[in-house]
Amino acid sequence: MTSHARLVLQTGTQGYGILGRHAENDLEGTLDTVLEAGYGGLEIMSSLLEDRPRLRAACAERGLELTALHLFWQELDDFDWSALAELGVGRLILSGLPVASEEQTLGCLTDLRRHSARARREGARVLLHNHAEEGIPLPGGSTPFEILADETDEKEVGFVVDLHWAAVAGDTARMLKATAGRCDYLHIKDGLTADPQDPRSFDLGTGEVDLLGGWRQALGAGPVDIAVVERAMPAPDVRAALHHDADFVRSLFAAQDGAAE
């Protein structure tokens, strides 16, 4: 058995992420570097929405798929929903839902269902992305992701698991179990678990996250379609970082293929 996950890059926003502001300052040149490193698609943030026809054309010319648009919950207040169809993006990833309490988590369901229905009308599916708080049990014993999974169905929302933030929350296996069957999209990111805001740009495999273990656990919970390279902070040498992280994720693919033979 071989892995069929696609290798994708998250672009970052507001100067963060592996690319910093390279894509905003030199879109075509940056995409050439991304393609040369072997990526097949992009997960974009709102900072690249200013010239949507240019973005779509630049990706199409290079055969790079726009796999997802990633927004924060508060950005939906001013979001132009037509961007999803215009870009041909099939996934809308949402971060930062209000989940500080069980009441807050349940309280966002009405808006979440409304947003999900709106995204479907534009040809996209909503995926919920975790930070640490989505995986930490609330006083009632359930985590916010467990509540959201229990209260919705797969037609309404799917999930994205970020392996770094899941490790920070303390129980990656629990988060993957909560989203099993509804999470075929992983963020592969490294860093420190006790100090997740450390300002360094971590090469994959150099932080404290057990990425191979998380990858295997994720595949045990269901097939993974998209594996996204992500960094919290800009890389000092973008080309070298893109190649390193792409090679690292391909090593995850190879390790799984070898284990399956």
Side-chain angles (χ1 to χ4, degrees):
M1 183 180 73
T2 58
S3 172
H4 296 289
R6 287 172 283 170
L7 180 63
V8 170
L9 179 73
Q10 188 195 80
T11 60
T13 190
Q14 297 177 349
Y16 292 93
I18 191 170
L19 298 178
R21 296 192 182 274
H22 282 273
E24 288 86 347
N25 295 333
D26 178 14
L27 177 63
E28 288 78 8
T30 302
L31 294 189
D32 286 339
T33 304
V34 170
L35 182 64
E36 189 262 338
Y39 295 86
L42 294 178
E43 176 190 308
I44 61 170
M45 310 291 280
S46 58
S47 55
L48 288 183
L49 293 181
E50 183 174 342
D51 191 340
R52 302 194 300 244
R54 179 186 176 193
L55 173 62
R56 182 166 187 172
C59 288
E61 288 167 4
R62 292 160 179 80
L64 289 169
E65 179 188 6
L66 284 166
T67 58
L69 171 61
H70 189 157
L71 299 178
F72 292 94
W73 182 257
Q74 63 269 23
E75 291 184 285
L76 293 175
D77 292 340
D78 302 312
F79 180 51
D80 179 359
W81 289 89
S82 68
L84 295 170
E86 184 177 348
L87 291 171
V89 174
R91 301 171 184 84
L92 174 63
I93 298 173
L94 298 181
S95 288
L97 275 69
V99 295
S101 66
E102 184 171 344
E103 182 180 13
Q104 267 198 340
T105 304
L106 292 171
C108 75
L109 285 169
T110 298
D111 283 340
L112 177 58
R113 291 189 171 104
R114 178 168 55 85
H115 295 323
S116 177
R118 186 69 179 88
R120 289 197 299 274
R121 290 198 293 273
E122 299 294 338
R125 184 185 187 212
V126 165
L127 306 178
L128 304 182
H129 171 274
N130 68 292
H131 290 101
E133 51 266 36
E134 283 81 5
I136 297 174
L138 296 167
S142 295
T143 70
F145 255 25
E146 288 169 338
I147 295 170
L148 291 167
D150 287 343
E151 295 292 331
T152 61
D153 61 43
E154 62 181 11
K155 293 181 180 178
E156 291 175 318
V157 297
F159 294 88
V160 174
V161 170
D162 181 307
L163 293 179
H164 176 227
W165 284 116
V168 172
D171 196 337
T172 299
R174 179 172 179 173
M175 180 166 286
L176 290 166
K177 181 180 179 181
T179 60
R182 294 166 66 178
C183 175
D184 61 358
Y185 196 112
L186 285 186
H187 278 188
I188 314 295
K189 185 175 70 175
D190 216 337
L192 304 184
T193 54
D195 184 13
Q197 303 298 342
D198 185 287
R200 287 173 287 177
S201 182
F202 284 87
D203 288 349
L204 294 183
T206 66
E208 297 176 343
V209 182
D210 179 7
L211 293 173
L212 177 57
W215 173 255
R216 287 175 167 165
Q217 288 176 336
L219 288 178
V224 176
D225 186 40
I226 303 290
V228 179
V229 163
E230 181 189 355
R231 297 196 191 197
M233 302 301 291
D237 183 333
V238 168
R239 184 182 183 279
L242 290 173
H243 279 269
H244 174 277
D245 288 0
D247 288 344
F248 183 92
V249 174
R250 282 191 286 262
S251 77
L252 297 182
F253 297 166
Q256 180 62 30
D257 293 346
E261 291 176 357

